[in-house]
Structures are given as C-alpha cells and as structure tokens.
Amino acid sequence: MNEVISTIKEHRSNRNFIKGYKLSKLELDTILDCAKQAPSWMNGQHYNIIVVDDQTIKDRLFELSMRNPHIQTSSVFLIFCIDLTRHSLASKKHSKNFDIEDNVDILINSTTDVSLAMQNAATVAESLGYGTVFCGGVRVIAEEIIEMLNIPKYSFPICGLSIGKLDEELTTERVKPRFNAKVNVGYNSYPSSTLEDIDEYNETLEIFAEARETKLWSQKFADVYEKNNSKTKEILKKQGF
Ligand SMILES: Cc1cc2nc3c(=O)[nH]c(=O)nc-3n(C[C@H](O)[C@H](O)[C@H](O)COP(=O)(O)O)c2cc1C
C-alpha cells in the first residue's frame, strides 16, 4: 500500500480540534493548490473557495449552525461554492445569451466540480495529519452565508470543510464501515439492494456504535426523506440558477 491509499483508507471525519491552532501558509496553500488541481467538467472549474480563518466569522457561523461546533474550533473553514460568474462573463465577452436557469445538468456538473476539489482538499489535509469534516450544514444557513460573505448571483455555497489540529484527548473517531461491495458495486450490470442488505448494514453500524448516531441507519434516512423541508431550490433560484 502506498501513502495515498493509506490516507484514503484511514479516512474518518473528525470534529474535535484544538482551537486557535494555525495551519502554516505553506500547508494551507498546498491544500488549496491540490483542491484546484482536481479535474473539472470541460475545465470549467465551476467553483470558488472561501477560506474562513477569521475567528469572528467562524464564531458567527457556529452560532448559526450550532450542530457544527467544529466550525468554531477549526483552523480554517473552507466554504466551497458552485460558481458560474466567470462563465457569465465569458458569455458577455462573446455577446451570447447566458441561459442557465433551471438547467439541472449545470447544477450536476458544477456540484461535481466542487465535490472533486473538496475531496482533494480533505485528502491532502488528512495526509498532512490534520482532521477534517465536511459540513453540508452550510446549506441550511445559505441565506445568511450569502449575505455575510457577499456571495453574488451565479454562485451558491454547497458545502464547508473544517480542517483542524486533532484534540487527541477528545478524539474517539474510528474508520467507519461502509456497505459491503456486493450491495453497491455491480460488474457489467446495476447492483441492487434488498431489505436484508439494509438490516445487515443497520446491524454493522449498531455494532460500530458511533456515539453521535442515535438512530438506525435506515430510520435516519426514512425520517430525512419523509418530507422535503429544504429551501435550497428557492435560494438557488434567487442566485440565478
Ligand atoms: C456532503 C457532506 C456533507 C456533510 N455534512 C456534515 C455536517 O453538516 N456535519 C457533520 O458533522 N458531518 C457532516 N458530514 C460528514 C458525514 O457525516 C460523514 O462523512 C459520514 O458520517 C461518514 O463518516 P466518516 O467520514 O467518518 O467515514 C458530511 C459529509 C458529506 C460528504
């Protein structure tokens, strides 16, 4: 196994950081360079990264998203936004119509660009010995973030990434088991799942016994997907998507 494989296989989200610890400029620049080196659809690089290292802003974000205290103790909180502002300028430059509204493919492509860049950032931060956790919670407070950080039309915050120095005394996270490959990897045809597969994974996670999980895996998603309370579509519309 080489170091890339071990970094990836040892991944676990960490949420307990030593507050006030600063990454060196070289480390942060390396994380950002590697994020930006991810592939992107048509080389469109449909993302912008907001580096939040100002403690006052991190404190405010935590106040808005109390379920994510790691924002406050992180060394940096990176907010990954989909971005089509440069593409709108390209259209303007070539006197073309800019027709992106209600185009689901654009959302898929730009969110994929964001995801690849984010994952590169997380993997590199972990390879440098730092803890990381993604924060989809930013979408719950998207309106406040858009206003606070001046996110313009044709951009939208998709996900945050907290990077910090692990507080070893508080860190209990272990590598979390995934679904068995028989469930989600298909050779030459689509893999399908049965209720028995779901029961098996429920049991695997019950044995794993992560303190922060209070429900069965299936119960968690049955609850989440019961009703759509998301305001994201509405906010995306306001942002021009
Ligand atoms: C898109 C995305 C959004 C996430 N949002 C949050 C979040 O808001 N808060 C949090 O504590 N963890 C968040 N996570 C972390 C997941 O809970 C975590 O990756 C998952 O439980 C698997 O655990 P592991 O990363 O330790 O293997 C997010 C992960 C992803 C990929």
Side-chain angles (χ1 to χ4, degrees):
M1 239 185 347
N2 64 35
E3 279 181 39
V4 176
I5 299 172
S6 15
T7 299
I8 292 172
K9 290 192 80 149
E10 282 161 23
H11 160 78
R12 66 227 204 276
S13 296
N14 279 291
R15 298 172 178 83
N16 295 302
F17 304 129
I18 296 175
K19 195 174 171 187
Y21 182 92
K22 279 199 184 325
L23 299 186
S24 72
K25 180 167 170 14
L26 178 63
E27 287 170 327
L28 179 58
D29 287 348
T30 304
I31 291 168
L32 296 170
D33 282 350
C34 291
K36 281 155 44 52
Q37 201 54 39
S40 65
W41 183 66
M42 287 179 70
N43 191 30
Q45 302 163 66
H46 296 86
Y47 57 81
N48 277 351
I49 306 167
I50 307 175
V51 179
V52 180
D53 60 359
D54 180 320
Q55 193 58 46
T56 320
I57 302 178
K58 284 190 284 175
D59 289 347
R60 179 67 191 131
L61 291 172
F62 165 58
E63 273 169 30
L64 293 165
S65 182
M66 301 287 250
R67 291 165 61 121
N68 288 293
H70 52 84
I71 299 176
Q72 197 176 35
T73 54
S74 66
S75 299
V76 274
F77 186 61
L78 304 181
I79 301 179
F80 287 81
C81 303
I82 50 173
D83 178 89
L84 275 94
T85 57
R86 285 176 288 280
H87 312 81
S88 92
L89 290 173
S91 299
K92 196 177 267 177
K93 176 176 165 65
H94 296 284
S95 309
K96 292 272 193 179
N97 194 23
F98 186 61
D99 182 12
I100 67 156
E101 226 180 299
D102 285 327
N103 185 330
V104 175
D105 281 307
I106 289 173
L107 286 178
I108 292 175
N109 287 328
S110 50
T111 306
T112 305
D113 286 2
V114 156
S115 306
L116 297 173
M118 276 195 321
Q119 183 58 47
N120 267 14
T123 301
V124 171
E126 288 173 21
S127 80
L128 292 170
Y130 292 109
T132 71
V133 61
F134 288 114
C135 184
V138 299
R139 257 171 291 120
V140 179
I141 54 166
E143 276 171 314
E144 292 87 346
I145 290 183
I146 287 168
E147 178 158 351
M148 234 169 107
L149 302 174
N150 306 312
I151 297 177
K153 195 172 179 189
Y154 306 133
S155 181
F156 176 81
I158 296 288
C159 197
L161 174 64
S162 280
I163 300 175
K165 177 87 175 160
L166 283 182
D167 185 332
E168 301 287 354
E169 274 176 31
L170 293 176
T171 298
T172 54
E173 274 82 0
R174 295 153 291 148
V175 173
K176 194 185 284 185
R178 302 303 200 230
F179 272 108
N180 192 306
K182 75 175 187 288
V183 171
N184 56 12
V185 179
Y187 288 85
N188 308 309
S189 80
Y190 193 78
S192 59
S193 304
T194 61
L195 280 175
E196 286 72 37
D197 294 324
I198 305 296
D199 288 342
E200 199 180 301
Y201 192 58
N202 275 340
E203 205 180 315
T204 304
L205 286 188
E206 270 196 301
I207 294 165
F208 182 69
E210 189 179 23
R212 63 195 301 277
E213 293 289 356
T214 53
K215 296 179 186 175
L216 282 179
W217 182 91
S218 56
Q219 184 68 61
K220 183 168 76 171
F221 287 102
D223 293 349
V224 165
Y225 292 136
E226 188 183 19
K227 194 170 181 333
N228 181 1
N229 293 318
S230 164
K231 284 167 71 186
T232 299
K233 201 169 176 179
E234 199 183 299
I235 306 170
L236 277 168
K237 203 145 212 69
K238 278 193 206 152
Q239 293 300 104
F241 291 97

